[in-house]
Amino acid sequence: MPDTRDTAQHESVQESLTRVVELLHKHELVESLVHKQDMPRHDLVQQLVHKQNLAELQKTLDALHPADMAYILEALPLDQRLLVWELARADRDGEILLEVSDAVRESLIASMDSDELRAAAEQLDTDEIADLAPDLPQEVIQDVFESLDKEEQAQLQSALSYPEGTVGALMDFDMVTIREDVSLEAVLIDLRKLGELPSHTDKLFVVDSKAKLRGVLPLKRLLLHNPDALVAAVMSDDPVIFNGNDKASDAASAFERYDLVTAPVVDVHHKLVGRLTVDEVMDFIRDEAESDVLAMAGLREEEDMFATVWKSMQNRWTWLAINLVTAFIASRVIGLFEGSIERIVALAALMPIVAGIGGNSGNQTTTMIVRGLALGQIHPSNMRKLFIKELGVSLMNGLIWGSMLGLLAYLLYRNAALGAVMTGAMALNLLLAAVMGVLIPLAMHKLGRDPAVGSSVMITAVTDSGGFFIFLGLATIFLM
Amino acid sequence: MPDTRDTAQHESVQESLTRVVELLHKHELVESLVHKQDMPRHDLVQQLVHKQNLAELQKTLDALHPADMAYILEALPLDQRLLVWELARADRDGEILLEVSDAVRESLIASMDSDELRAAAEQLDTDEIADLAPDLPQEVIQDVFESLDKEEQAQLQSALSYPEGTVGALMDFDMVTIREDVSLEAVLIDLRKLGELPSHTDKLFVVDSKAKLRGVLPLKRLLLHNPDALVAAVMSDDPVIFNGNDKASDAASAFERYDLVTAPVVDVHHKLVGRLTVDEVMDFIRDEAESDVLAMAGLREEEDMFATVWKSMQNRWTWLAINLVTAFIASRVIGLFEGSIERIVALAALMPIVAGIGGNSGNQTTTMIVRGLALGQIHPSNMRKLFIKELGVSLMNGLIWGSMLGLLAYLLYRNAALGAVMTGAMALNLLLAAVMGVLIPLAMHKLGRDPAVGSSVMITAVTDSGGFFIFLGLATIFLM
């Protein structure tokens, strides 16, 4: 696992994608010629061109970093993706599977038989096998498990025992451990004998005979201190330590806050069980951010851009169904006032404005609160101030925009009372939006649910139905 | 800059916050007692309690990591925040200012005079001064600049010359450079003389006499290879290199893809000008993700939770104004059909359903496309497949949900034609949502605008006005 790339290809992933797509098109062209001209498949010239194309494609693919291969596989429609996947060197299958998104991984694994999957898994470290495990058939995992040595089996079991979202599920086992009663010189000699260090190694872990963590020795100190010094004298004995059961999001915050590269992970008995690295943390942060964005649009999970229509519908239908129910309720609220609308049809044209602006303003409030909750910065002691501020913003917005819309309504329909109702309804619905915009995420948080998911749909439901009710209700009272 | 924390405080930031808030409350209680009981301010006992409280608060604050101080400052309302800020040790002001969010930094800087700002800036590295510079008064920057030595002045100018969003704006200057014609032994001796390495150092940069980058020497190789070997023989001569003008987002992808910890930054002449570290990249990724989430809710920028009502309104008004305009247009579309609504008032109750579901479905499509664009995975060659897939999903959803709603409309109003119009309108509006959900972000991308910002408001505007027009239009044609 080299930690520096040997070729400066980082600027050309998109170029690689373009090249692969071109070669695929050439390949498809030849294929379609073979079919269209109804030539015998064994026509030699055609077969040669065909083979050359595939060979060139394969060469291009083999030169790619596994992460770049993953990127290209994700960008290709299913048929081309499977062709490229077939050409990928089998000895990199495991690494590539680790890099692709969940949805794409599923499509690739579906195309492999048990032997291929077993071979792919066996190329990986135990913590990586644990990452793949949920997607592999039970019998493959069993076979892979049996092929491991005792220590690796224990590692795999340990990695699988931590639920998703914990530090234990993100950690790896690539640790270099040393004892505290040896000299730095001895450590250096041992390391040279070892000949290689795991990627991201910025510190060695100091453990006692029972594998309990005693401290860490940053490589920096190993380099800079007198080689005769003892590890115990040079090590840092109180570093940032995580427990396997710690929440991954808390660990991510700590990595950001304290600028960590690696950190030791211990169990409840303070025994060293693994190591957390900044690259895993960065992937975790990226995944979290993406799933928030997807959740806000009501996509259940990361979607393969080229999933089948059927799969996409499954991914999206829950949200649409919920939305349908809330829209239906709003529709029934309007239904209550059909008599009023019959008498003043302008109400039908104006009511969506009140509902829409309320939803917009409520979502702004909710976004602020969700962010504060995610950062843990909302506190019983500051809640009152937050609440008053949001109410203030809404009231001001309601009066300013409400007055403007009231004026517009008056100008359009020459009805001053209608204008006044419009202004009043806007102000009230924005207040409702502020109150619910604070309360909904707080309530979800209290109930132990992720406030980022669903808050938006709930606030919109409230401001829609509420907005229709307030506006049509006021109109019925004051205009009929 | 230690890269390991000396105390394992990472689990207790929230606890620190609680403690600080408690001490602040005690302090406020004493203050209010002094005022309420109208005691003379110099009453000795009171003053003593008061002083003790502040001393304890100060002790708590002094023990905190700058990042934790920043966290607490962000979570406090303005008056308490400024009290805590006043108590913060002046020699850490600079570091804390770097850590807080833009909005909170503004509120802190506003409370400081020029001397304090100058002192705070002078504690920082040149790349950090450059980060603060946009928020500092011109005269302070001038003074700070003059206090630097020649080399530092050049660094500051270099850092300030790169626009936001480039690698140059993220890089620092904490590099250790070596020559290629020396032995590893000599490098080790030099490093020990230096006595300290910059944080995150995982490699040394090998330059020639003209400061051109020749390669990098990973610390790992320095440790593991024979000390007699020459740097030139051991170094990696083709690492991932960035140009100061590269886009920061591309660099972030490369860091994620190749699991980098640091990377050299060069200018157009391949001269080493700085270094990019994973902690800066991680902050960049987090900031980008957050500003996407905020932008989707129409918040112009990160908002201080305790900003004044006036400031919050400024941050939020643009979006509300745009939304008002689009809602007004939708309202006028309905206005066109007032005659039809007068005759069948059920139309008023049913029309928001058609519009709402369209917006929902369109936003799901747009979110997928925006994500594909952000990853650079949308390509002329796969666009057609994407388009067909989205149309397929929409058509299926339109027929399924549309039929259900048509049936409901029929059951509610005992009008079969109305049910059919409902079904047709749903199907058509979902198709419109799919087409615009793909086209709007693509068009924004082509025009060089960020498709994450504004796509949602535009798609909702189209599906609202479009939904009303389709539904009321079909009703007018078939039901009147």
Side-chain angles (χ1 to χ4, degrees), chain A residues 49-88:
Chain A
V49 175
H50 189 226
K51 269 196 179 158
Q52 259 181 359
N53 268 330
L54 283 185
E56 199 183 333
L57 185 53
Q58 180 137 33
K59 222 179 84 193
T60 307
L61 296 174
D62 284 350
L64 289 173
H65 189 276
D68 295 343
M69 265 297 283
Y71 175 90
I72 286 172
L73 287 167
E74 287 176 6
L76 292 176
L78 197 61
D79 49 344
Q80 297 185 343
R81 183 188 297 160
L82 293 182
L83 177 63
V84 166
W85 182 233
E86 223 175 278
L87 291 176

Coordinates of all heavy atoms in Angstrom, one line a residue, chain A residues 49-88:
Chain A
V49 N -9.3 -6.6 -35.3 CA -9.6 -5.2 -34.9 C -10.2 -5.3 -33.5 O -9.9 -4.5 -32.6 CB -10.6 -4.5 -35.9 CG1 -10.9 -3.2 -35.4 CG2 -9.9 -4.4 -37.2
H50 N -11.2 -6.2 -33.4 CA -11.9 -6.3 -32.1 C -10.9 -6.6 -31.0 O -10.9 -6.0 -30.0 CB -12.9 -7.5 -32.4 CG -13.8 -7.7 -31.2 ND1 -14.1 -8.9 -30.7 CD2 -14.6 -6.8 -30.6 CE1 -14.9 -8.8 -29.7 NE2 -15.3 -7.5 -29.6
K51 N -10.0 -7.6 -31.2 CA -9.1 -7.9 -30.2 C -8.1 -6.8 -29.8 O -7.8 -6.6 -28.7 CB -8.3 -9.2 -30.7 CG -8.9 -10.5 -30.3 CD -7.9 -11.6 -30.4 CE -8.5 -12.9 -30.0 NZ -7.8 -14.0 -30.5
Q52 N -7.7 -6.1 -30.9 CA -6.8 -4.9 -30.7 C -7.5 -3.9 -29.8 O -6.9 -3.4 -28.9 CB -6.5 -4.3 -32.0 CG -5.1 -4.7 -32.5 CD -4.8 -4.1 -33.8 OE1 -5.6 -3.3 -34.3 NE2 -3.6 -4.3 -34.3
N53 N -8.7 -3.6 -30.1 CA -9.5 -2.7 -29.3 C -9.5 -3.1 -27.8 O -9.2 -2.3 -26.9 CB -10.9 -2.5 -29.8 CG -11.0 -1.5 -30.8 OD1 -10.3 -0.5 -30.8 ND2 -11.9 -1.6 -31.7
L54 N -9.9 -4.3 -27.6 CA -10.0 -4.8 -26.3 C -8.7 -4.8 -25.5 O -8.6 -4.4 -24.4 CB -10.6 -6.2 -26.2 CG -12.1 -6.3 -26.5 CD1 -12.6 -7.7 -26.3 CD2 -12.8 -5.3 -25.5
A55 N -7.6 -5.1 -26.3 CA -6.3 -5.1 -25.7 C -5.9 -3.7 -25.3 O -5.3 -3.5 -24.2 CB -5.3 -5.7 -26.7
E56 N -6.2 -2.7 -26.1 CA -5.8 -1.4 -25.8 C -6.6 -0.9 -24.6 O -6.1 -0.2 -23.7 CB -6.1 -0.5 -27.0 CG -5.4 0.9 -26.9 CD -5.7 1.8 -28.1 OE1 -6.1 1.3 -29.2 OE2 -5.6 3.0 -27.9
L57 N -7.9 -1.3 -24.6 CA -8.8 -0.9 -23.4 C -8.2 -1.5 -22.2 O -8.1 -0.8 -21.1 CB -10.2 -1.4 -23.7 CG -11.3 -1.0 -22.7 CD1 -11.3 0.5 -22.5 CD2 -12.6 -1.5 -23.2
Q58 N -7.8 -2.8 -22.3 CA -7.3 -3.4 -21.1 C -6.0 -2.8 -20.6 O -5.9 -2.6 -19.4 CB -7.0 -4.9 -21.4 CG -6.5 -5.7 -20.2 CD -7.1 -7.1 -20.2 OE1 -7.5 -7.7 -21.2 NE2 -7.3 -7.6 -19.0
K59 N -5.2 -2.4 -21.5 CA -3.9 -1.7 -21.1 C -4.2 -0.4 -20.4 O -3.6 -0.1 -19.3 CB -3.1 -1.4 -22.4 CG -1.6 -1.7 -22.2 CD -0.8 -1.4 -23.4 CE -0.4 0.0 -23.5 NZ 0.1 0.3 -24.9
T60 N -5.2 0.3 -20.9 CA -5.6 1.6 -20.3 C -6.1 1.4 -18.9 O -5.7 2.1 -17.9 CB -6.7 2.3 -21.1 OG1 -6.2 2.4 -22.5 CG2 -7.0 3.7 -20.6
L61 N -6.9 0.3 -18.8 CA -7.5 0.0 -17.5 C -6.5 -0.4 -16.4 O -6.5 0.0 -15.3 CB -8.6 -1.0 -17.6 CG -9.8 -0.7 -18.4 CD1 -10.7 -1.9 -18.6 CD2 -10.5 0.5 -17.8
D62 N -5.5 -1.3 -16.9 CA -4.5 -1.8 -16.0 C -3.6 -0.7 -15.4 O -3.1 -0.8 -14.3 CB -3.7 -2.8 -16.7 CG -4.4 -4.1 -16.9 OD1 -5.5 -4.3 -16.2 OD2 -3.9 -5.0 -17.6
A63 N -3.5 0.4 -16.2 CA -2.6 1.5 -15.7 C -3.3 2.4 -14.6 O -2.7 3.2 -14.0 CB -2.2 2.4 -16.9
L64 N -4.6 2.1 -14.4 CA -5.3 3.0 -13.5 C -5.2 2.6 -12.1 O -5.2 1.4 -11.7 CB -6.8 3.0 -13.9 CG -7.2 3.7 -15.2 CD1 -8.6 3.5 -15.6 CD2 -6.9 5.2 -15.1
H65 N -5.2 3.6 -11.2 CA -5.3 3.4 -9.8 C -6.7 2.8 -9.4 O -7.6 3.1 -10.1 CB -5.1 4.8 -9.1 CG -5.0 4.7 -7.6 ND1 -6.1 4.7 -6.8 CD2 -3.9 4.7 -6.8 CE1 -5.6 4.7 -5.5 NE2 -4.3 4.7 -5.5
P66 N -6.8 1.9 -8.5 CA -8.1 1.3 -8.1 C -9.2 2.4 -7.9 O -10.3 2.2 -8.3 CB -7.8 0.5 -6.8 CG -6.4 0.2 -6.9 CD -5.7 1.3 -7.6
A67 N -8.8 3.5 -7.3 CA -9.8 4.5 -7.0 C -10.3 5.1 -8.3 O -11.4 5.5 -8.5 CB -9.2 5.6 -6.1
D68 N -9.4 5.2 -9.3 CA -9.8 5.8 -10.6 C -10.6 4.8 -11.4 O -11.6 5.2 -12.0 CB -8.5 6.2 -11.4 CG -7.7 7.3 -10.8 OD1 -8.3 8.0 -9.9 OD2 -6.6 7.5 -11.1
M69 N -10.3 3.5 -11.3 CA -11.1 2.5 -11.9 C -12.5 2.6 -11.3 O -13.5 2.5 -12.0 CB -10.6 1.1 -11.5 CG -9.7 0.5 -12.6 SD -10.5 0.2 -14.1 CE -11.4 -1.3 -13.7
A70 N -12.6 2.8 -10.0 CA -13.9 2.8 -9.3 C -14.7 4.0 -9.9 O -15.9 3.9 -10.2 CB -13.7 3.0 -7.8
Y71 N -14.0 5.1 -10.0 CA -14.7 6.4 -10.5 C -15.2 6.1 -11.9 O -16.4 6.5 -12.2 CB -13.6 7.5 -10.6 CG -14.0 8.8 -11.2 CD1 -14.6 9.8 -10.4 CD2 -13.8 9.0 -12.6 CE1 -15.0 10.9 -11.0 CE2 -14.2 10.2 -13.1 CZ -14.8 11.2 -12.3 OH -15.2 12.3 -12.9
I72 N -14.5 5.4 -12.8 CA -14.9 5.2 -14.1 C -16.1 4.2 -14.2 O -17.0 4.4 -14.9 CB -13.7 4.7 -15.0 CG1 -12.8 5.9 -15.3 CG2 -14.2 4.0 -16.3 CD1 -11.5 5.6 -15.9
L73 N -16.0 3.2 -13.3 CA -17.1 2.2 -13.3 C -18.4 2.9 -12.9 O -19.5 2.6 -13.4 CB -16.7 1.1 -12.3 CG -15.7 0.1 -12.7 CD1 -15.2 -0.8 -11.6 CD2 -16.2 -0.8 -13.8
E74 N -18.3 3.8 -11.9 CA -19.5 4.5 -11.5 C -20.1 5.4 -12.6 O -21.3 5.6 -12.6 CB -19.2 5.4 -10.2 CG -19.0 4.6 -9.0 CD -18.6 5.4 -7.8 OE1 -18.6 6.7 -7.9 OE2 -18.3 4.9 -6.8
A75 N -19.2 5.9 -13.5 CA -19.7 6.8 -14.5 C -20.2 6.1 -15.7 O -20.7 6.7 -16.7 CB -18.6 7.7 -14.9
L76 N -20.1 4.7 -15.8 CA -20.6 4.0 -17.0 C -21.9 3.4 -16.8 O -22.2 2.8 -15.7 CB -19.5 2.9 -17.3 CG -18.2 3.4 -17.8 CD1 -17.2 2.2 -18.0 CD2 -18.2 4.2 -19.1
P77 N -22.7 3.4 -17.9 CA -24.0 2.6 -17.9 C -23.7 1.1 -17.7 O -22.6 0.7 -18.0 CB -24.6 2.9 -19.2 CG -23.9 4.1 -19.7 CD -22.6 4.1 -19.1
L78 N -24.7 0.4 -17.2 CA -24.5 -0.9 -16.7 C -23.8 -1.9 -17.7 O -22.9 -2.6 -17.3 CB -25.9 -1.5 -16.3 CG -25.8 -2.8 -15.4 CD1 -25.1 -2.5 -14.1 CD2 -27.2 -3.4 -15.2
D79 N -24.2 -1.9 -19.0 CA -23.6 -2.8 -19.9 C -22.1 -2.5 -20.1 O -21.3 -3.4 -20.1 CB -24.3 -2.8 -21.3 CG -24.5 -1.4 -21.8 OD1 -24.4 -0.5 -21.0 OD2 -24.9 -1.2 -23.0
Q80 N -21.8 -1.2 -20.3 CA -20.4 -0.9 -20.4 C -19.6 -1.1 -19.1 O -18.4 -1.6 -19.1 CB -20.2 0.6 -20.8 CG -20.9 0.9 -22.2 CD -20.6 2.3 -22.6 OE1 -20.3 3.2 -21.8 NE2 -20.8 2.6 -23.9
R81 N -20.3 -0.9 -18.0 CA -19.6 -1.1 -16.7 C -19.2 -2.5 -16.6 O -18.1 -2.8 -16.1 CB -20.6 -0.7 -15.6 CG -20.0 -0.8 -14.2 CD -21.1 -0.6 -13.2 NE -21.6 0.8 -13.2 CZ -22.8 1.1 -12.7 NH1 -23.5 0.2 -12.1 NH2 -23.2 2.3 -12.8
L82 N -20.1 -3.5 -16.9 CA -19.8 -4.9 -16.8 C -18.7 -5.3 -17.7 O -17.8 -6.2 -17.3 CB -21.0 -5.7 -16.9 CG -22.1 -5.5 -15.8 CD1 -23.3 -6.4 -16.0 CD2 -21.5 -5.7 -14.4
L83 N -18.6 -4.7 -18.9 CA -17.6 -5.1 -19.9 C -16.2 -4.6 -19.3 O -15.2 -5.4 -19.2 CB -17.8 -4.4 -21.2 CG -16.7 -4.5 -22.2 CD1 -16.6 -6.0 -22.6 CD2 -17.0 -3.7 -23.5
V84 N -16.2 -3.4 -18.8 CA -14.9 -2.9 -18.2 C -14.5 -3.7 -16.9 O -13.4 -4.1 -16.7 CB -15.1 -1.4 -17.8 CG1 -14.0 -1.0 -16.9 CG2 -15.1 -0.5 -19.0
W85 N -15.5 -4.1 -16.2 CA -15.3 -4.9 -14.9 C -14.7 -6.2 -15.3 O -13.8 -6.7 -14.6 CB -16.6 -5.0 -14.2 CG -16.5 -5.8 -12.9 CD1 -17.2 -6.9 -12.5 CD2 -15.6 -5.5 -11.8 NE1 -16.9 -7.3 -11.2 CE2 -15.9 -6.5 -10.8 CE3 -14.6 -4.5 -11.5 CZ2 -15.2 -6.5 -9.6 CZ3 -14.0 -4.6 -10.3 CH2 -14.3 -5.5 -9.4
E86 N -15.2 -6.8 -16.4 CA -14.6 -8.1 -16.8 C -13.2 -8.0 -17.2 O -12.4 -8.9 -17.0 CB -15.4 -8.6 -18.0 CG -15.8 -10.1 -18.0 CD -16.7 -10.4 -19.2 OE1 -17.9 -10.1 -19.1 OE2 -16.2 -10.8 -20.2
L87 N -12.8 -6.8 -17.8 CA -11.4 -6.6 -18.3 C -10.5 -6.3 -17.1 O -9.3 -6.4 -17.3 CB -11.4 -5.5 -19.3 CG -12.1 -5.9 -20.7 CD1 -12.0 -4.6 -21.6 CD2 -11.3 -7.0 -21.3
A88 N -11.0 -5.8 -16.0 CA -10.2 -5.4 -14.9 C -9.3 -6.5 -14.5 O -9.8 -7.7 -14.4 CB -11.0 -4.8 -13.8

